[in-house]
């Protein structure tokens, strides 16, 4: 540090170069930012280090906040550098570290613990500290780098209370941060986990499968999909239960592992959607409207590239209702994420990648009027039906493992009022199948059959001569693509897991192939 004395008519104050540590998020990972503050000869406040408009505007807010608490602004030039200088700094997270650095550099406070903590938070004009996004990735980074602790807004601290190995303080004003960094007072009451206790994440209420009358074939298909993490499309007339089945799917998915919960929570933290909660343990269920823009779906923005719906559905379900009515360009944007399980957003000056490994569940009517195949109710011409289904392009259908056709529930089934199998019973079988897959892929960095690549399919899904020959003939006869060939084997592997079988037999292959009716030759005439 460099120090010199500034003499006034009333007092002698020591100014020195001060370093305060904060963080910036890139994707769902955080990296260290060093806030350097120096008070030198001259006038004015100068902020450098590739800061965006939100960071530059913070200076007036910070000065007003400090004055409201009784601190004075040094009558000299204040130089603030955000390092590394070539990395963009965005948002209001640097208010607290900049304010703390000014007080320490001007000699108004003694903060011996300052190098041991990472600070982030937005300041109000009254000195209060407000919530900011990205706390969870920052705390995770602080743990990896061996920092003693983090000082963050109390509301934001709740999202990281379940991480161990660090002192996490939740504060409501800047004076509390100064008390912690001075090391002279007992500030244990500010430790997150006491006043900043975890609030369990509440997912969407799921419909129980027992409440859905009929559609046993569709229920079986969704059970297979949930067990292996496969993508699904349901095609049927209005009122056949497509939306209800999709919502019921959330009730049979297994709980997330700790690693999945942390990764999902980091996405919501960066997006600013944690709502003061702890780790998210329920699998996300996202159902965006068809009017959603492409940036809203895949992620983006002008200044800050935030995650979109496909990343918010990571480790969960993305449900698109009325897929046939969706703009074709919007539907086609899903092709790459479905295959790569991540999305990369590129702009002129920035580029960021977000994970996007989700179960894609779609529902569509069979034609514009919705009643094709229901007696003589359809009023659409063959060309209109063909044009409607053609929105579901071949490349997109190739990426959907299970294709289900739903028929209207007959009145006799409704009158019977008999309840089907409950979601809890189905969920037990799904969880058992998922455990088998976790053991199988222990060294592969994947957790479900749907995530297998072609090499893994050959290694973990061997077919005997008879089954292999039968599948080859079937693919040849029905005109399936090579991608569909491998996806049939993946689904068959999941069916075998549900049945507790170590090998894939002819019965599992035929059931898996039956879920690809849209891929058959002349699919438009189904």
């Amino acid at each position: 540090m460099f120090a010199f004395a500034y003499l006034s008519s009333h007092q002698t104050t020591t100014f020195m170069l001060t370093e305060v540590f904060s963080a910036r998020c890139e994707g769902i990972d955080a990296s260290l930012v060093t806030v350097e503050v120096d008070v030198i000869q001259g006038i004015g406040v100068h902020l450098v280090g590739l800061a965006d408009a939100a960071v530059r505007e913070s200076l007036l807010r910070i000065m007003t906040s400090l004055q409201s608490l009784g601190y004075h602004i040094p009558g000299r030039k204040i130089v603030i550098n955000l390092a590394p200088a070539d990395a963009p700094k965005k948002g209001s997270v640097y208010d607290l570290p900049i304010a703390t650095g000014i007080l320490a550099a001007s000699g108004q406070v003694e903060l011996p613990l300052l190098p041991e903590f990472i600070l982030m938070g937005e300041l109000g004009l009254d000195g209060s500290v407000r919530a900011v996004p990205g706390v969870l990735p920052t705390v995770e980074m602080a743990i990896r780098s061996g920092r003693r602790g983090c000082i963050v807004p109390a509301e934001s601290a709740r999202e990281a209370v379940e991480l161990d190995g660090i002192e996490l303080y939740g504060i409501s004003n800047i004076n509390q941060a100064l008390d912690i960094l001075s090391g002279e007072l007992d500030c244990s009451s500010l430790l997150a986990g006491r006043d900043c206790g975890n609030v369990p994440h509440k997912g969407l209420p799921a419909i129980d499968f027992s409440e859905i009358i009929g559609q046993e074939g569709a229920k079986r298909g969704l059970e297979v999909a949930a067990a292996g993490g496969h993508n699904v499309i349901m095609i049927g007339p209005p009122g056949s239960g497509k939306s209800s089945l999709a919502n019921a799917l959330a009730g049979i998915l297994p709980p997330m592992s700790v690693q999945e919960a942390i990764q999902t929570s980091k996405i919501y933290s960066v997006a600013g959607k944690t709502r003061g909660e702890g780790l998210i343990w329920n699998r996300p269920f996202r159902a965006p409207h068809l009017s959603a823009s492409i940036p809203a779906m895949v992620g983006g923005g002008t200044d800050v590239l935030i995650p979109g719906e496909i990343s918010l559905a990571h480790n969960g379900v993305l449900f698109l209702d009325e897929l046939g009515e969706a703009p074709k360009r919007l539907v086609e944007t899903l092709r790459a994420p479905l295959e790569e399980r991540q999305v990369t957003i590129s702009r002129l000056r920035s580029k960021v990648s977000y994970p996007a490994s989700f179960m894609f569940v779609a529902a569509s009517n069979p034609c514009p009027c919705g009643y094709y195949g229901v007696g003589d109710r359809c009023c659409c011409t063959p060309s209109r039906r063909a044009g409607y289904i053609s929105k579901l392009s071949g490349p997109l259908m190739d990426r959907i493992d299970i294709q289900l056709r739903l028929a209207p529930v007959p009145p006799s089934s409704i009158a019977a009022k008999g309840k089907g199998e409950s979601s809890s019973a189905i969920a037990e079988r799904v969880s058992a199948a998922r455990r088998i897959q976790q053991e199988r892929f222990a060294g592969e960095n994947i957790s479900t059959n749907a995530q297998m690549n072609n090499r893994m399919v050959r290694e973990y899904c061997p077919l005997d001569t008879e089954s292999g020959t039968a599948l080859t003939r079937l693919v040849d006869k029905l005109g399936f693509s090579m991608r569909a060939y491998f996806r049939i084997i993946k689904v068959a592997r999941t069916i075998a897991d549900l049945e507790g079988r170590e090998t894939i037999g002819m019965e599992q292959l035929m059931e898996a192939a039956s879920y690809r009716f849209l891929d058959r030759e002349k699919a438009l005439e189904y």
Side-chain angles (χ1 to χ4, degrees):
M1 295 186 176
F2 303 92
F4 58 88
Y6 166 65
L7 300 178
S8 69
S9 59
H10 301 290
Q11 59 182 0
T12 300
T13 304
T14 301
F15 298 98
M16 65 185 67
L17 174 64
T18 300
E19 291 184 345
V20 185
F21 298 101
S22 189
R24 60 182 290 270
C25 289
E26 186 173 1
I28 62 171
D29 296 315
S31 58
L32 192 68
V33 171
T34 303
V35 180
E36 299 175 324
V37 182
D38 199 6
V39 181
I40 59 178
Q41 291 284 353
I43 59 173
V45 182
H46 304 271
L47 176 64
V48 295
L50 209 58
D52 73 345
V55 182
R56 293 193 300 270
E57 287 179 355
S58 69
L59 294 177
L60 181 58
R61 182 168 62 246
I62 292 169
M63 301 306 174
T64 306
S65 176
L66 293 179
Q67 288 178 322
S68 70
L69 294 175
Y71 298 103
H72 69 269
I73 307 303
R76 293 194 168 213
K77 180 190 290 186
I78 302 174
V79 180
I80 304 164
N81 178 43
L82 306 180
D86 60 344
K89 320 299 186 309
K90 302 173 181 178
S92 58
V93 300
Y94 305 106
D95 287 13
L96 179 61
I98 290 174
T100 305
I102 292 173
L103 293 178
S106 61
Q108 298 181 65
V109 292
E110 293 283 341
L111 304 176
L113 301 183
L114 192 57
E116 302 178 29
F117 284 83
I118 291 178
L119 283 67
M120 59 191 309
E122 177 185 327
L123 291 183
L125 297 183
D126 59 352
S128 60
V129 180
R130 295 170 179 165
V132 291
V135 167
L136 181 57
T138 299
V139 174
E140 188 183 51
M141 180 270 292
I143 295 173
R144 289 197 310 267
S145 60
R147 297 281 168 177
R148 174 177 171 177
C150 291
I151 300 176
V152 300
E155 183 180 349
S156 301
R158 295 189 179 102
E159 66 187 54
V161 293
E162 294 171 76
L163 300 185
D164 297 323
I166 196 168
E167 295 179 13
L168 178 61
Y169 289 91
I171 61 171
S172 57
N173 60 71
I174 190 173
N175 281 331
Q176 292 176 340
L178 300 178
D179 290 341
I180 296 168
L181 296 171
S182 69
E184 298 177 355
L185 301 175
D186 180 13
C187 298
S188 58
S189 62
L190 299 176
L191 283 169
R194 296 187 179 184
D195 293 341
C196 301
N198 178 33
V199 180
H201 177 75
K202 298 179 181 180
L204 294 175
I207 300 174
D208 197 280
F209 269 101
S210 63
E211 300 171 1
I212 301 175
I213 301 172
Q215 304 299 2
E216 299 304 321
K219 292 178 183 178
R220 167 65 177 177
L222 290 177
E223 178 183 344
V224 174
H230 301 287
N231 302 321
V232 186
I233 184 170
M234 295 176 284
I235 296 183
S240 56
K242 302 185 296 294
S243 298
S244 296
L245 286 165
N247 283 280
L249 177 65
I252 64 173
L253 293 174
M256 290 193 288
S257 65
V258 174
Q259 183 179 2
E260 289 176 327
I262 291 176
Q263 193 175 45
T264 301
S265 300
K266 284 166 66 176
I267 296 172
Y268 278 74
S269 175
V270 169
K273 296 182 180 293
T274 55
R275 303 182 300 278
E277 299 171 351
L279 291 183
I280 297 174
W281 292 100
N282 293 334
R283 294 190 180 273
F285 186 93
R286 306 292 299 186
H289 192 264
L290 298 180
S291 62
S293 66
I294 291 177
M297 186 67 71
V298 302
T302 52
D303 296 327
V304 182
L305 301 183
I306 61 174
E309 290 291 340
I310 62 175
S311 293
L312 294 173
H314 181 65
N315 290 322
V317 175
L318 177 70
F319 175 52
L320 285 185
D321 202 359
E322 301 298 343
L323 188 64
E325 300 290 343
K328 190 174 181 66
R329 187 162 174 244
L330 180 69
V331 175
E332 294 302 308
T333 59
L334 299 175
R335 285 165 52 177
L338 286 173
E339 193 73 20
E340 300 171 5
R341 298 189 178 274
Q342 70 170 7
V343 60
T344 300
I345 308 166
S346 297
R347 296 294 183 267
L348 182 62
R349 292 190 177 93
S350 55
K351 179 179 179 181
V352 66
S353 294
Y354 287 110
S357 181
F358 54 89
M359 276 184 64
F360 178 52
V361 180
S364 177
N365 291 331
C367 65
C369 79
Y371 292 102
Y372 178 60
V374 185
D376 57 355
R377 295 185 64 182
C378 180
C379 59
C380 302
T381 63
S383 60
R384 287 189 67 200
R385 288 197 296 268
Y388 191 81
I389 293 299
S390 67
K391 288 185 180 180
L392 312 179
S393 67
L396 180 65
M397 290 299 102
D398 259 359
R399 291 165 170 82
I400 296 180
D401 304 341
I402 297 177
Q403 302 160 1
L404 303 173
R405 187 175 184 183
L406 279 64
V409 179
S412 57
S413 298
I414 300 174
K417 297 182 180 179
K419 282 197 172 185
E421 192 175 22
S422 67
S423 291
S424 59
I426 300 173
E428 289 180 7
R429 295 196 296 269
V430 169
S431 296
R434 286 284 185 108
R435 285 192 293 270
I436 293 173
Q437 293 165 56
Q438 289 171 359
E439 294 174 4
R440 176 185 299 131
F441 304 125
E444 295 286 1
N445 199 30
I446 65 171
S447 57
T448 62
N449 290 329
Q451 296 172 335
M452 287 190 289
N453 57 31
N454 293 351
R455 190 268 303 170
M456 296 176 189
V457 171
R458 296 188 185 95
E459 180 177 349
Y460 297 110
C461 309
L463 302 178
D464 57 38
T465 303
E466 181 185 2
S467 299
T469 302
L471 180 58
T472 302
R473 288 176 179 171
L474 183 66
V475 169
D476 240 1
K477 181 179 180 180
L478 298 180
F480 290 164
S481 68
M482 187 54 64
R483 184 184 282 115
Y485 171 86
F486 282 105
R487 289 185 178 269
I488 289 173
I489 299 177
K490 293 179 188 180
V491 175
R493 178 67 269 174
T494 299
I495 296 171
D497 290 341
L498 282 169
E499 298 172 358
R501 292 174 55 98
E502 294 185 3
T503 59
I504 300 173
M506 187 69 71
E507 184 179 347
Q508 290 77 38
L509 278 174
M510 292 303 103
E511 181 180 353
S514 71
Y515 291 131
R516 303 203 66 86
F517 72 93
L518 284 175
D519 290 346
R520 297 169 188 166
E521 292 179 336
K522 299 182 180 179
L524 297 179
E525 298 177 9
Y526 80 92

